[in-house]
Structures are given as structure tokens and as C-alpha cells.
């Protein structure tokens, strides 16, 4: 392997320690940041995710409230709960775990969360703020990817960046953040005829597809920074990313592993967003 590893576990530990310090300072001023996590239904993966989010909060001294509901909860009742959390001054961040049961319109639910508490950064207000360069919450996964670039001293300014994937939660906001940082950004997706043609010119590649081996060694410019957002299972059932790690790490300059790369950073950035929501609430109250 020639590439250096971007260690998401180590970086996220550092970020959590900084969050814990800022939480302690807020608590000293009588304010404990609070995150509400709402889970509807029994999706096993969602249950694990919310458990982690709650534990993460508590490990940094924040308060977290987990609200669990049966899959039969009506959309109207869920919207009423979100409105109640919007009005609760002890709650600074609200996260409704996706996916929601099919009878609930996830878009409607996200749009009901107050933009001031939208710590997932999925509200159209947050997306719009990102688009026009106004302050708002950045979606946690792309935000974490930007922190990873910063941690290795990679300034995107003037670089060619390729984002593979155009979802609202990863690909598009990732591209906006890179653009804001003055990279020349190309967004590729399932209708891109020749992905390699783009990735071979890239100094930074972010793969956010959800398919194994989307990026192989022959598609990467020597020395490039490769960030692997994907979460897949290999034939043995082991967690793996979108990138052929064994091959690409022979060509890239820097690479993120899966697991231990973007995943822990996503969790850390939720804490950062929740803390920032509480700090803004504290500033607004002065
Ligand atoms: P998504 O909504 O399914 O989007 C996938 C994107 O990949 C789409 O834009 C799709 O293009 C594109 N795509 C599909 N096949 C392609 C191909 N062969 N070549 C180029 N582009 C292709 O997924 P997502 O929510 O963005 O998540 C992407 C991956 O990241 C998943 O594995 C997910 O589990 C993972 N993830 C990880 C974290 C973390 O914290 N580590 C967080 C979020 C997501 P079209 O738009 O044309 O269909």
C-alpha cells in the first residue's frame, strides 16, 4: 500500500473531545445541549443507528431523548410530535431516523422540523443555505468528509474534485461544499457514460454510490485523495465501501478505510451540529 490512511476513528475521537469541552463550557453557563432522536418502527439497522446517536450524545455530556413509536404511528401524530419538539426549549436538535414507514411522507416530516433544530441538515432551508453560502446546518456525512480533507491539509481550492453520486443527503451537498471550497467539481451518477474519464483527472474523489468496486485502481490518478462513503457487504458479509481498497490504495495518495473512515465522522458531525444549534440558541437568548 502506498496511500496514507485517513483515520476516521482517530479524527472523530479528537472532534468528540473538542465537543465535550464546548458542552462543558455551555453547561457552566446553565445550558445543556439536547438532541431528540425519533424512531418509528422496528428497522434493525435504524435501531442500531439511534442507539449509537444517543450514546454518542451522552458521552460528550449532552442530553438525548429517544422517542420510539410503533410502525403504525400516523403521519399526523408524528408531525404533532415534531412540532412539540420544535417548541421544547430543552431540545436543540431533532433527528427523525430514516427510512420511515411507507404511509409517512418523509419529506413532509423533515420540512416540519424547525430549521434551527435541523441537525441532520436535510431541510430545504439547510440545503438552500448551503447553496447560497449562508450559515445553516451541513449534512453530517459531507461535513465529515470536508473535515477529513482538512485533517490531511488538503485544500480543495483549484483542485479537480469528482463526486460519484447525487443524493440529497450525500452527493449533492458534498459537491456544494467542495465548490464552496473553490474546487472544480464534477458530479457523476448512474447516467454518466464513462466514469473513469472523469475520475482519472480528479485530485479528490468522493464515492457515494452504495455499490462495491465502483472505483478501481485504473480509474484513479496517482496521488489522489480518495474518500469512500459507501457502505456495502462483501461476499463474506463483511462491511466494505464503494472503492476497491486493496487496488486503489496502491495508486492514491490518501484513502479512507471502510469501516473506520467516513462512518465515525458522520456520527461526530451530528454532535458538532447539535452543539452548534445549542450555542446559537444560547447566543439568541442573550
Ligand atoms: P443513494 O441515494 O442510493 O444514491 C446513490 C447515488 O449513486 C445515486 O445518485 C446514483 O445515481 C449513483 N449511482 C448508482 N450507480 C452508479 C454507478 N454505477 N456509477 C455512478 N453513480 C452511480 O445513496 P446515498 O444515500 O447517497 O448513499 C450512498 C452510499 O453511502 C450508500 O452505500 C450508503 O449506505 C452510504 N452512506 C454512508 C454514510 C456513512 O456515514 N458512512 C452516510 C450516508 C450514506 P442516480 O442518481 O442516477 O440514480
Amino acid at each position: 500500500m502506498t496511500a496514507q490512511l485517513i483515520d476516521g476513528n482517530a479524527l472523530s475521537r479528537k472532534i468528540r473531545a473538542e465537543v465535550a469541552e464546548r458542552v462543558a463550557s455551555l453547561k457552566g453557563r446553565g445550558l445543556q445541549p439536547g438532541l431528540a432522536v425519533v424512531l418509528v418502527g422496528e428497522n434493525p439497522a435504524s435501531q442500531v443507528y439511534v442507539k449509537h446517536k444517543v450514546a454518542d450524545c451522552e458521552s460528550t455530556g449532552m442530553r438525548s431523548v429517544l422517542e420510539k413509536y410503533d410502525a403504525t404511528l400516523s403521519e399526523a401524530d408524528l408531525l404533532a410530535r415534531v412540532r412539540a419538539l420544535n417548541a421544547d426549549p430543552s431540545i436543540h436538535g431533532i433527528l427523525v431516523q430514516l427510512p420511515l414507514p411507507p404511509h409517512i411522507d418523509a419529506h413532509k416530516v423533515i420540512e416540519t422540523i424547525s430549521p434551527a433544530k435541523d441537525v441532520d441538515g436535510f431541510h430545504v432551508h439547510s440545503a438552500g443555505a448551503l447553496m447560497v453560502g449562508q450559515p445553516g446546518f451541513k449534512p453530517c456525512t459531507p461535513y465529515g468528509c470536508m473535515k477529513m480533507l482538512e485533517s490531511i491539509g488538503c485544500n480543495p481550492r483549484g483542485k479537480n474534485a469528482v463526486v460519484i453520486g447525487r443524493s440529497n443527503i450525500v452527493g449533492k451537498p458534498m459537491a456544494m461544499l467542495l465548490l464552496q471550497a473553490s474546487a472544480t467539481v464534477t458530479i457523476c451518477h448512474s447516467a454518466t457514460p464513462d466514469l473513469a474519464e472523469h475520475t482519472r483527472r480528479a485530485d479528490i474523489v468522493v464515492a457515494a454510490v452504495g455499490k462495491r468496486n465502483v472505483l478501481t485502481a485504473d480509474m484513479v490518478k496517482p496521488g489522489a485523495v480518495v474518500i469512500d462513503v459507501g457502505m456495502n457487504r462483501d461476499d463474506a458479509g463483511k462491511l466494505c465501501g464503494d472503492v476497491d481498497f486493496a487496488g486503489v490504495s496502491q495508486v492514491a495518495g490518501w484513502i479512507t478505510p471502510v469501516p473506520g473512515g467516513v462512518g465515525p465522522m458522520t456520527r461526530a458531525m451530528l454532535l458538532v451540529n447539535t452543539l452548534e444549534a445549542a450555542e446559537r440558541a444560547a447566543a439568541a437568548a442573550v
Side-chain angles (χ1 to χ4, degrees):
M1 167 162 161
T2 55
Q4 298 191 62
L5 213 59
I6 311 179
D7 183 345
N9 282 325
L11 182 57
S12 69
R13 270 196 299 275
K14 193 168 156 247
I15 291 172
R16 282 157 188 259
E18 288 162 7
V19 167
E21 270 180 34
R22 278 161 68 188
V23 169
S25 145
L26 267 187
K27 276 166 124 178
R29 288 153 53 199
L31 192 144
Q32 184 180 29
L35 173 71
V37 180
V38 181
L39 175 64
V40 185
E42 309 287 328
N43 181 313
S46 293
Q47 284 180 333
V48 173
Y49 294 148
V50 299
K51 209 172 95 189
H52 284 153
K53 287 167 186 172
V54 168
D56 286 349
C57 263
E58 287 167 3
S59 73
T60 55
M62 297 195 216
R63 192 169 85 89
S64 70
V65 179
L66 174 57
E67 297 198 1
K68 280 186 174 181
Y69 298 102
D70 282 351
T72 55
L73 182 77
S74 72
E75 183 182 278
D77 285 346
L78 178 57
L79 295 178
R81 269 318 298 154
V82 170
R83 288 192 194 99
L85 291 167
N86 283 342
D88 181 343
S90 73
I91 295 297
H92 304 96
I94 302 170
L95 183 154
V96 178
Q97 185 65 42
L98 302 177
L100 287 166
H103 66 278
I104 298 179
D105 179 350
H107 181 71
K108 213 191 250 183
V109 175
I110 290 166
E111 294 317 302
T112 302
I113 295 172
S114 161
K117 300 190 180 189
D118 175 39
V119 288
D120 252 343
F122 294 167
H123 195 290
V124 290
H125 183 282
S126 305
L130 182 59
M131 180 83 169
V132 297
Q134 288 294 310
F137 293 109
K138 303 174 189 81
C140 301
T141 300
Y143 193 7
C145 294
M146 293 304 286
K147 287 281 170 196
M148 290 179 122
L149 293 177
E150 190 187 305
S151 76
I152 58 164
C154 173
N155 181 351
R157 184 176 187 84
K159 304 231 163 52
N160 285 328
V162 168
V163 179
I164 319 174
R166 57 171 165 181
S167 71
N168 289 335
I169 63 170
V170 189
K172 280 185 210 159
M174 185 73 238
M176 288 312 306
L177 288 169
L178 286 163
L179 184 64
Q180 244 178 34
S182 296
T184 302
V185 184
T186 304
I187 307 175
C188 297
H189 44 76
S190 66
T192 302
D194 186 352
L195 183 59
E197 180 202 342
H198 301 282
T199 57
R200 276 193 204 114
R201 284 189 280 112
D203 306 300
I204 300 167
V205 182
V206 181
V209 174
K211 286 182 187 158
R212 284 159 59 192
N213 299 330
V214 154
L215 193 76
T216 48
D218 56 310
M219 300 167 73
V220 175
K221 176 175 165 178
V225 179
V226 175
I227 300 204
D228 191 352
V229 179
M231 283 198 312
N232 311 295
R233 297 271 164 195
D234 67 12
D235 294 334
K238 246 181 74 191
L239 193 64
C240 67
D242 291 346
V243 175
D244 168 25
F245 184 86
V248 171
S249 58
Q250 300 301 320
V251 182
W254 293 89
I255 190 167
T256 65
V258 178
V262 175
M265 290 303 294
T266 298
R267 285 169 58 181
M269 299 326 286
L270 175 66
L271 301 175
V272 171
N273 277 350
T274 304
L275 171 66
E276 282 176 5
E279 286 176 343
R280 286 180 205 173
V286 173

